[in-house]
Amino acid sequence: MSPEEIVEKMIAKDSFSKWLNLDIINIKKGSCILKTTITKEMTNGFKLSHGGICFSIADSCLAFSANSYGRISLTKSAEIQFIKKVNINDTITAKCHRSEIDKNNFNIDLINQHQEKIANFIGTVHFTNEVWS
């Protein structure tokens, strides 16, 4: 299966990524770019994006990137560093690429509509032996 077909299959069963209204900009083996806009429902008591939203955007980007290799891949660990606050109506772009050093690690940059880096997410995946079909 192609990376696009894999992601289509993943998203078809992924209610949360659908709720995030993720727009897949580009998907190829080992990388993904997606975009969404922060809505009122995604904000916390400070009227800022809930931290879990940015984490989830990055986690979906990681999942699409890792699974694009054709083997079912699961997140083993992940961490996020928040850099700037995220407001309602901000457009967030997540860009994922695979580490050159450790092929199980991926780095996701989250960038707002002003091209400012708002967060960095690092995820480690487990590549199972199960192939996408």
Side-chain angles (χ1 to χ4, degrees):
M1 293 179 76
S2 73
E4 294 85 2
E5 291 170 323
I6 292 168
V7 171
E8 283 179 29
K9 199 167 191 177
M10 290 176 72
I11 227 124
K13 296 179 182 180
D14 186 344
S15 298
F16 192 70
S17 288
K18 286 181 192 176
W19 180 81
L20 288 171
N21 198 28
L22 299 178
D23 183 19
I24 309 296
I25 305 299
N26 189 348
I27 181 72
K28 57 185 179 181
K29 285 189 178 182
S31 70
C32 177
I33 300 173
L34 54 82
K35 187 181 283 192
T36 196
T37 300
I38 302 301
T39 64
K40 179 183 175 186
E41 294 76 23
M42 298 174 180
T43 60
N44 59 22
F46 299 107
K47 297 184 180 178
L48 299 172
S49 174
H50 189 286
I53 295 297
C54 289
F55 187 97
S56 295
I57 293 166
D59 188 52
S60 288
C61 196
L62 168 65
F64 300 152
S65 296
N67 280 275
S68 70
Y69 286 99
R71 288 174 39 206
I72 293 180
S73 307
L74 307 169
T75 302
K76 287 174 52 175
S77 67
E79 64 180 75
I80 193 166
Q81 177 187 19
F82 297 105
I83 299 167
K84 294 184 84 65
K85 67 181 180 174
V86 180
N87 297 299
I88 190 168
N89 297 321
D90 278 356
T91 299
I92 306 304
T93 301
K95 298 179 179 182
C96 181
H97 61 275
R98 192 176 195 182
S99 170
E100 294 295 322
I101 299 167
D102 183 341
K103 299 298 184 181
N104 291 341
N105 290 340
F106 292 78
N107 187 66
I108 298 93
D109 292 323
L110 296 166
I111 300 162
N112 67 16
Q113 69 274 16
H114 306 293
Q115 300 307 306
E116 300 168 321
K117 189 171 179 178
I118 57 159
N120 184 63
F121 178 102
I122 298 170
T124 303
V125 300
H126 167 70
F127 290 99
T128 71
N129 292 325
E130 192 174 345
V131 176
W132 278 98
S133 59

